[in-house]
Amino acid sequence: MNHILLKTQNLCKYFVSRRWRFLNLKPEVIAVKAVDQCNLDVKQGEILAIVGESGSGKTTLGQCISRIIDPTAGKIWFGDRDITNIQGKELKELRQEIQMVFQDPGSSLNPRHCIEDIIALPMKIHFNLFGKKLKERVKELMSMVELPIELISRYPHALSGGQKQRVGIARALSLNPKLLVLDEPTSALDVSVQAKILHLLKSLQNKLGLTYIMITHNLSIVKNFSNRVVVMYLGRILEMASTNELFSFPLHPYTQALLSATPVIKEEEKKFIPSEIILEGEIPSPINTPKTCAFLSRCKVKKSSCFDRYDLKLIEVKPGHWTQCPHISN
Amino acid sequence: MKKEPLLKASGITVSFYTIDGTSRVLNNVRLEINEGEVVGLVGETGSGKSVMAKLILGILPIPPARVISGEILFKGYDLLKASPDKREVLKEKMAYIPQDPTASLNPVFPIGTIFIDSIIWKQSGRSKSKFFLNRYIKKNRKEAAELAISLLKRVEIADPDKILYKYPFQLSGGMRQRVLLAMALIGSPELLIADEPTTALDVTIQKRILQLLQQKVKEENLSSLYITHDLGVARLLCDRIYVMYAGTIMESGDTKSLLENPYHPYTKGLIRAIPKLTGEDFDGIPGQAPNYLEFPPGCRFQARCLEKISLCARKEPELIEVEIGRFIACHHYQAR
């Protein structure tokens, strides 16, 4: 049995702001619930995919997990350690365990640093490496991500999108992390480059025994890349299952709609798609969301009883298949 | 008897003159759009898709670009040789949906102002003096607002009269794209050029917009050129697909046969590169996107091609009809 590497307990991230209205004595409190009561666990050596539309809080969850932003409530466990509120030296040590690869390879690299400096900076800070040793390590990392060594003194603008993303991966790998949070690593790339980056990530995982949290909105990538899937909507987790299970038996109506909207190329792929479901409207605003089911406003199969169910929890319907639909849990 | 196509481009070659040198961005492109047909133009970033669209619309900056050769026949008139006045008249029959709905609506004006202005601009025959005169007549503005509301209703926007008073930032991405689609329908165009209209949207909204587009194309009897890099989207929407690489049309044919049975190594590679729901193996195309400044002689895809033969480095392949409706530019296939 794989042991659990990372676990979140009722993780919340609210962005609170106050708005003063004319002649009001008290400010109006606006809470954007970007991540709301998320429970998930990541096993050692697996690839966990987080899917959802834009605005569903995927990136915020990823950033909370890697402690780039501080969660509002809840707990994050890394191994046996509670990392929710660690600061200073402890946090610096945690950075060696969890690293992140960002979405836009163009803007996540400093345009004034050359590739060598970009990859070397984390090692200078954490390992106190300098001089020849550092350069050797940079070269080793570059060959690991299949970047030509000639690029070592180039600047990011001279690189293609795929090469920039490889630099981002090399930088993340430089501290030998255990967990890598990949925030839409291929959404800015062309399909032919995307396939190469995904293969690289997979081979690196096999070689180094990494664990990935992959944030994406592309279900075809999820199907080919990940072991388990978490479906998010409006800051909440609606469904969680292993990839094969989710694609063969999607339970939540939102997952079904998401699957049916995936554009496919070949005729054989159509049998993986449930019947045509078209969602009306768009993802509602995450400001002061109700405590009922998050998907209620766009759900096609809702019943009147759905409106009375508050504080829904993820329920294990089958072994390993969790869902939050009030229907199914009845 | 076969009907003349609505738009027929042949032998289009466009070069960009820059400090670094001359780059031939479009190379002998042939493109046909029949009436009532949705044609897809598929290719990776930097393959010249948008340049083609801008050339047809007449908004390509010339210079730095220069048209070396070729002609675009639109309803029997050559767009590249037509006088500026004639060009303006022909432009009215074309509509354009841009890629990024956020960047193409002016953030300092409400939707209504943008919408009414473009209606009055079209009504006054695209002449500036008439436009500024007509704009300050209240009756014109009122009529234009009514037309705007009816157009917004046609793209299924709920309470359109309120939308007119909203600013672009108050609308969601899908809404903005609908507004732009409604604006494209002003003056009942015959050709709709859509430049990746759904790239910035989520899959669920993308599907909805695509269906709307399909429905409008049928209802309004439009022909459409749909530019995309997503073969899945092209499959949903298009009747025929042109596959473009480095400014050259590599393969064309009707959607179903092209996707199920691709002939050209580039099309094959492109289809293989996309992860599929069946869990099939996928793999990228080796090599990198081409540098337009220094193309070697011969086929433009040869450096990344897996099936190249010796002829590829010497002679540029021509686009030849191999089956009815299937065109391909590849020595390897033609030699077989």
Side-chain angles (χ1 to χ4, degrees):
Chain A
M1 189 66 205
N2 287 342
H3 80 275
I4 285 167
L5 185 70
L6 185 125
K7 195 176 169 181
T8 68
Q9 258 174 6
N10 296 336
L11 189 71
C12 297
K13 177 68 197 176
Y14 300 164
F15 294 99
V16 182
S17 63
R18 290 175 175 77
R19 186 195 283 163
W20 284 93
R21 284 274 165 87
F22 184 59
L23 287 181
N24 277 14
L25 292 173
K26 271 186 182 171
E28 201 182 337
V29 177
I30 298 164
V32 176
K33 294 182 179 175
V35 174
D36 197 8
Q37 307 274 342
C38 281
N39 291 304
L40 58 86
D41 48 0
V42 188
K43 296 192 186 92
Q44 172 89 47
E46 78 167 351
I47 301 175
L48 179 81
I50 303 177
V51 284
E53 288 176 271
S54 52
S56 59
K58 320 182 285 281
T59 304
T60 314
L61 180 62
Q63 286 176 344
C64 276
I65 286 170
S66 49
R67 282 300 312 277
I68 288 178
I69 52 175
D70 296 333
T72 313
K75 283 225 149 53
I76 310 168
W77 297 86
F78 186 76
D80 313 324
R81 215 143 54 95
D82 180 3
I83 59 162
T84 325
N85 289 315
I86 53 168
Q87 291 297 339
K89 208 179 159 200
E90 273 182 300
L91 186 61
K92 194 178 162 188
E93 274 166 18
L94 181 77
R95 297 269 183 253
Q96 296 177 21
E97 313 275 345
I98 305 175
Q99 279 288 321
M100 200 158 175
V101 175
F102 296 95
Q103 177 170 13
D104 184 4
S107 55
S108 64
L109 304 178
N110 190 338
R112 286 167 178 249
H113 285 185
C114 67
I115 304 307
E116 186 185 358
D117 295 340
I118 291 171
I119 300 175
L121 189 63
M123 292 184 286
K124 278 184 193 167
I125 295 169
H126 287 268
F127 296 157
N128 260 330
L129 270 180
F130 284 100
K132 231 180 193 173
K133 258 188 183 168
L134 183 68
K135 193 151 191 174
E136 260 168 38
R137 175 85 180 123
V138 169
K139 279 183 180 167
E140 189 192 329
L141 280 164
M142 281 177 77
S143 63
M144 210 193 265
V145 296
E146 293 157 23
L147 267 176
I149 303 292
E150 304 94 81
L151 297 177
I152 195 158
S153 54
R154 301 275 179 87
Y155 286 84
H157 70 86
L159 267 60
S160 68
Q163 286 173 335
K164 279 183 213 164
Q165 197 54 282
R166 280 167 202 267
V167 173
I169 294 166
R171 176 176 62 181
L173 289 174
S174 62
L175 297 178
N176 304 320
K178 280 186 190 150
L179 176 70
L180 220 56
V181 179
L182 310 166
D183 187 0
E184 308 214 17
T186 59
S187 65
L189 306 175
D190 267 321
V191 278
S192 64
V193 185
Q194 167 182 296
K196 281 190 273 181
I197 295 281
L198 289 176
H199 278 291
L200 172 75
L201 285 169
K202 198 120 200 185
S203 73
L204 283 173
Q205 195 218 8
N206 289 335
K207 215 185 322 180
L208 306 171
L210 296 164
T211 308
Y212 289 153
I213 293 178
M214 168 109 167
I215 296 163
T216 180
H217 59 257
N218 190 334
L219 280 169
S220 313
I221 293 178
V222 171
K223 168 86 184 176
N224 285 283
F225 196 70
S226 69
N227 306 113
R228 269 194 322 137
V229 192
V230 166
V231 180
M232 275 188 85
Y233 184 80
L234 219 57
R236 294 177 212 182
I237 292 176
L238 295 188
E239 195 163 2
M240 185 159 78
S242 68
T243 307
N244 286 332
E245 170 78 19
L246 189 99
F247 279 83
S248 7
F249 309 104
L251 285 178
H252 201 283
Y254 177 64
T255 317
Q256 289 169 0
L258 209 59
L259 259 174
S260 91
T262 311
V264 294
I265 304 165
K266 298 237 159 153
E267 207 58 47
E268 309 107 66
E269 286 181 81
K270 275 202 166 163
K271 63 175 183 251
F272 287 91
I273 288 179
S275 58
E276 194 114 318
I277 304 163
I278 295 133
L279 283 184
E280 293 296 332
E282 292 178 15
I283 188 163
S285 143
I287 297 170
N288 299 337
T289 41
K291 282 194 167 177
T292 48
C293 172
F295 189 54
L296 210 53
S297 58
R298 289 165 87 189
C299 189
K300 282 269 166 82
V301 293
K302 66 186 166 210
K303 289 180 188 158
S304 56
S305 65
C306 289
F307 289 92
D308 309 329
R309 300 280 310 262
Y310 297 103
D311 291 324
L312 290 163
K313 293 224 158 55
L314 276 174
I315 288 160
E316 192 162 18
V317 187
K318 287 179 203 170
H321 194 149
W322 302 69
T323 184
Q324 209 194 35
C325 184
H327 262 309
I328 295 154
S329 51
N330 264 342
Chain B
M1 201 188 93
K2 211 190 156 207
K3 247 178 125 184
E4 264 302 284
L6 179 73
L7 185 121
K8 192 177 170 186
S10 51
I12 303 243
T13 304
V14 172
S15 287
F16 276 73
Y17 289 85
T18 58
I19 299 168
D20 297 332
T22 317
S23 46
R24 200 179 249 212
V25 173
L26 290 182
N27 187 24
N28 213 352
V29 172
R30 186 157 74 191
L31 193 89
E32 276 177 23
I33 304 169
N34 295 323
E35 259 171 59
E37 194 181 35
V38 182
V39 173
L41 189 58
V42 182
E44 287 180 281
T45 318
S47 57
K49 310 181 298 270
S50 293
V51 172
M52 188 65 207
K54 283 182 178 163
L55 184 69
I56 294 170
L57 285 163
I59 52 174
L60 192 70
I62 299 175
R66 193 189 293 168
V67 182
I68 307 287
S69 66
E71 56 170 15
I72 305 175
L73 290 174
F74 179 66
K75 303 177 79 182
Y77 297 100
D78 191 345
L79 285 179
L80 299 175
K81 292 202 184 79
S83 65
D85 292 352
K86 185 73 202 162
R87 191 87 232 225
E88 288 294 305
V89 175
L90 290 172
K91 256 187 195 171
E92 274 188 33
K93 295 284 160 210
M94 295 183 206
Y96 179 57
I97 306 179
Q99 177 169 11
D100 187 357
T102 322
S104 28
L105 290 168
N106 194 335
V108 298
F109 293 115
I111 301 292
T113 312
I114 306 170
F115 216 126
I116 289 166
D117 274 0
S118 48
I119 289 174
I120 293 176
W121 170 248
K122 283 228 164 162
Q123 279 173 350
S124 33
R126 305 176 82 92
S127 98
K128 269 183 193 160
S129 53
K130 270 190 199 164
F131 167 70
F132 284 114
L133 202 74
N134 285 340
R135 223 194 122 177
Y136 292 102
I137 300 172
K138 216 173 187 181
K139 193 175 136 245
N140 281 347
R141 284 217 304 277
K142 211 174 173 186
E143 277 172 10
E146 273 163 23
L147 180 62
I149 288 169
S150 77
L151 281 169
L152 286 172
K153 262 184 201 152
R154 260 155 62 189
V155 293
E156 294 168 16
I157 285 183
D159 41 67
D161 29 354
K162 273 183 198 159
I163 292 282
L164 289 185
Y165 295 100
K166 283 193 173 160
Y167 285 87
F169 76 89
Q170 290 171 306
L171 305 179
S172 62
M175 275 297 220
R176 276 184 222 134
Q177 204 51 274
R178 272 161 206 252
V179 169
L180 284 169
L181 177 58
M183 279 168 72
L185 295 177
I186 300 170
S188 48
E190 287 174 37
L191 178 68
L192 181 71
I193 297 178
D195 191 356
E196 310 205 23
T198 58
T199 2
L201 304 177
D202 278 314
V203 273
T204 51
I205 298 156
Q206 167 176 296
K207 182 121 188 181
R208 195 75 201 83
I209 295 278
L210 288 179
Q211 277 184 340
L212 189 71
L213 208 67
Q214 217 164 12
Q215 197 186 322
K216 287 299 134 195
V217 164
K218 235 178 236 156
E219 270 175 28
E220 319 269 331
N221 199 16
L222 290 167
S223 318
S224 175
L225 177 68
Y226 191 91
I227 295 170
T228 178
H229 64 261
D230 192 337
L231 278 168
V233 172
R235 181 183 179 277
L236 265 176
L237 201 69
C238 303
D239 303 319
R240 273 191 310 129
I241 292 181
Y242 286 87
V243 179
M244 205 170 191
Y245 177 80
T248 333
I249 300 286
M250 288 290 169
E251 190 171 3
S252 78
D254 57 84
T255 308
K256 210 175 165 200
S257 70
L258 188 129
L259 289 179
E260 295 293 325
N261 193 8
Y263 295 141
H264 198 284
Y266 177 63
T267 322
K268 282 183 201 165
L270 207 58
I271 291 174
R272 198 170 51 233
I274 299 169
K276 308 201 182 47
L277 287 178
T278 45
E280 255 173 69
D281 243 12
F282 62 101
D283 202 0
I285 303 170
Q288 294 196 354
N291 178 4
Y292 277 93
L293 288 174
E294 37 192 90
F295 267 112
C299 177
R300 290 195 160 194
F301 185 58
Q302 56 174 301
R304 300 172 80 183
C305 188
L306 296 172
E307 301 174 16
K308 69 172 170 230
I309 53 175
S310 58
L311 189 61
C312 295
R314 276 180 275 135
K315 199 168 153 255
E316 207 168 301
E318 275 174 42
L319 200 62
I320 291 171
E321 188 164 17
V322 286
E323 280 168 27
I324 298 161
R326 280 296 289 273
F327 290 84
I328 179 167
C330 181
H331 287 309
H332 176 78
Y333 184 81
Q334 285 157 10
R336 237 176 29 181

